[in-house]
Amino acid sequence: MESSNNNGAGLLSLFLYTMQEYDGIVSSVPLRTRDDLCSDVVHCTSRDYGFEHEEVSWAAVSIRMMLQRKYYSNGESVQLKRLLAIAERDQRFDGAKVAEIRRRLKSLKHREVELSLPNGEVVSGHFKNIEDVVYGGLLHADYDKALRLRSFPKDVRFYALAPFVIERERLIVDFKELCLSSGVCEIGTIEGDRAPIAGLDVLRGEDRLIAKSPYWANVAGHDAMDEEIEKTVDALSEDDKNALLVAMDFVEMLKSEPLDLKALRSVVWRDYWADWGDFGQASEMIKSIPAPGASTHVMHEGGAEYAQVKILPKVPHAWVTNTPQVLTGMYLVLLTKRFGMWKVNGIMNSCVENGEVERQS
C-alpha cells in the first residue's frame, strides 16, 4: 500500500507543486513560439520557431528538456503516464479530457526522428535523442552519449528536438490546467510554531537565545533588555526616529475602534487619501497580525527620501540579532519624506532580508 504522501491524490498535488516551480523557471527563458509551429524540419529556420535569438532558443529548449525529465521517464513519481492512470480512476476528472491527453501523448511518442551518425549508426526516436542530450551534456556527462552529441552541431539538435520538447510542455501544462479545474488540492505545508529562517552568515556564532518571543526562536539572537532597547533607539538618526514614530503611530491608529479618519489622514499624504478610502481594508490587515512588533532598523530603498519600516507578527517581547538572516511573514509600512516631514504611502506584505544589524521591538 502506498504511503499517504505517495498515493494518487498526493502525487497529483505534488505534480501541481512541481509545475509551479517549472513555470517559474521557464518564464525567464520564454519560447516565443507561433501557434503554427514548423513541422517540416528540413525547411525550418530559427525564425520559423518564433525565436529572436538562436542562443536564447537553445537555452530555452535545453532547460525544458532537463525539467521535463521527471514527467516522461519511467519510475518517476510524477511521470505523466502514471498521473493519467491516476486521473482515470479519479471521479473528479472528465474522462474524455484525460483520454485526449493520453491520445496526444501516444501520438507524440510515435512521431519519430532519426539522427544519422558519421559512422553509419542511426539513433532513432525523439525520447532516445532527448535522453542523449540530457545525459550526455546537461546532467550526468555520459561519455558515450557525449561522443554522439559531438557529431551534431547545436542547430541540428535544436531542429530535431525543439518541436518535441515544445509539445511535451503543452501536454504537462494542459494536464496541470485539468488538475486545477478538477479540484486537485495544492500540496500542503509543514505547520509549526516557529518562523522558517534562512541564516546568511552562520560563522558569526550568535546563539539562538530568543525565548520570550517563541515564534522567532529559530532566529540567531537574544531577548532584548529595556536598557538595550533604549540604547538602540537613541543610536538612530533623528530622521529614522521620526520615520519609525510615524509608522508605529499609523499602525496603532489602524488598530483602534472606531477608526479616526482625521487622525489617519494626518499621517498619510493627501494625494493617497483616495487609495486608502475609509482605511477599513488596511485596518483589517493590521488587526490580522498577532502581537505586531516594529523593527528599529529603518530601510531606505529608493533613496533617502523613502523609508520602509518592518512590522513582524508574534513579537510579545523585543529581541535583537546581529546576524544577517531572511525573515518571513513581514509587512512593510512605506513612507515618503516631503518638506522635511515623513508621511505614509502604503503597507505591503513582504519577505525581506534583514540588514547587517537587525533589531525588533
Side-chain angles (χ1 to χ4, degrees):
M1 180 178 294
E2 293 178 306
S3 63
S4 59
N5 65 340
N6 202 35
N7 57 24
L11 291 178
L12 292 173
S13 296
L14 175 60
F15 166 74
L16 288 182
Y17 172 76
T18 66
M19 284 302 296
Q20 290 179 359
E21 300 294 300
Y22 182 98
D23 292 341
I25 294 172
V26 301
S27 63
S28 64
V29 279
L31 285 167
R32 296 188 293 274
T33 58
R34 306 182 316 183
D35 290 335
D36 53 339
L37 281 172
C38 176
S39 59
D40 180 0
V41 297
V42 175
H43 297 99
C44 275
T45 66
S46 60
R47 187 172 300 174
D48 290 319
Y49 289 102
F51 300 121
E52 296 178 3
H53 304 288
E54 184 176 339
E55 290 299 321
V56 172
S57 65
W58 179 242
V61 170
S62 296
I63 288 172
R64 282 163 171 80
M65 278 196 289
M66 289 186 283
L67 295 176
Q68 289 173 4
R69 187 183 179 279
K70 59 184 171 293
Y71 302 118
Y72 292 99
S73 295
N74 290 330
E76 296 289 341
S77 59
V78 290
Q79 182 193 23
L80 181 58
K81 183 172 66 174
R82 180 179 187 181
L83 297 177
L84 288 172
I86 293 172
E88 287 170 341
R89 301 190 299 268
D90 194 321
Q91 295 182 350
R92 296 174 297 177
F93 283 81
D94 185 324
K97 292 181 179 179
V98 175
E100 173 60 18
I101 294 178
R102 184 179 286 282
R103 183 197 64 76
R104 288 167 53 195
L105 177 61
K106 290 181 179 179
S107 174
L108 182 62
K109 289 182 177 180
H110 292 149
R111 287 170 54 190
E112 289 292 343
V113 64
E114 290 184 347
L115 295 180
S116 300
L117 303 179
N119 64 358
E121 180 185 353
V122 174
V123 182
S124 179
H126 277 298
F127 189 80
K128 174 63 177 174
N129 286 303
I130 276 189
E131 289 294 279
D132 274 8
V133 173
V134 169
Y135 282 125
L138 298 178
L139 292 181
H140 301 315
D142 182 284
Y143 191 85
D144 292 334
K145 290 179 172 59
L147 283 178
R148 287 200 286 268
L149 294 177
R150 290 281 293 174
S151 302
F152 292 95
K154 185 170 58 180
D155 58 343
V156 174
R157 283 180 267 150
F158 169 71
Y159 296 144
L161 301 178
F164 188 64
V165 172
I166 292 167
E167 184 57 32
R168 294 208 309 180
E169 179 170 281
R170 287 176 172 170
L171 279 171
I172 57 177
V173 169
D174 288 349
F175 186 67
K176 176 194 73 173
E177 296 300 325
L178 181 58
C179 286
L180 292 173
S181 65
S182 300
V184 174
C185 298
E186 295 184 359
I187 194 169
T189 58
I190 297 175
E191 298 296 337
D193 54 5
R194 295 187 179 189
I197 303 295
L200 304 180
D201 193 359
V202 295
L203 296 180
R204 293 195 179 196
E206 190 174 14
D207 293 328
R208 294 181 175 85
L209 299 176
I210 299 174
K212 296 181 180 179
S213 290
Y215 180 73
W216 298 103
N218 282 340
V219 171
H222 61 273
D223 294 328
M225 304 293 289
D226 291 342
E227 311 84 63
E228 193 172 15
I229 298 172
E230 293 176 5
K231 184 178 179 180
T232 299
V233 173
D234 288 342
L236 295 174
S237 67
E238 289 301 316
D239 213 34
D240 282 357
K241 285 180 184 177
N242 291 332
L244 181 61
L245 181 61
V246 171
M248 294 176 67
D249 285 346
F250 184 63
V251 169
E252 289 303 315
M253 291 178 192
L254 290 173
K255 291 164 60 179
S256 65
E257 287 286 353
L259 293 175
D260 187 336
L261 296 184
K262 184 177 180 179
L264 285 164
R265 286 178 175 172
S266 70
V267 294
V268 173
W269 290 112
R270 179 182 291 271
D271 46 330
Y272 289 97
W273 286 2
D275 295 331
W276 288 97
D278 63 0
F279 292 90
Q281 185 175 358
S283 178
E284 290 180 6
M285 176 188 290
I286 293 299
K287 290 176 181 177
S288 71
I289 306 173
S295 170
T296 58
H297 177 73
V298 179
M299 301 182 298
H300 293 279
E301 295 182 6
E305 306 302 309
Y306 300 90
Q308 302 85 36
V309 174
K310 288 174 277 188
I311 306 296
L312 279 71
K314 302 180 181 180
V315 187
H317 188 276
W319 50 269
V320 177
T321 179
N322 296 290
T323 301
Q325 292 160 91
V326 177
L327 311 182
T328 58
M330 290 188 289
Y331 294 80
L332 294 180
V333 180
L334 312 177
L335 306 100
T336 303
K337 185 171 66 174
R338 303 176 188 173
F339 315 111
M341 180 183 302
W342 288 106
K343 288 194 177 184
V344 175
N345 295 339
I347 300 178
M348 63 180 291
N349 186 274
S350 181
C351 174
V352 182
E353 177 182 320
N354 70 355
E356 193 69 9
V357 178
E358 176 74 74
R359 295 177 175 85
Q360 311 299 137
S361 60

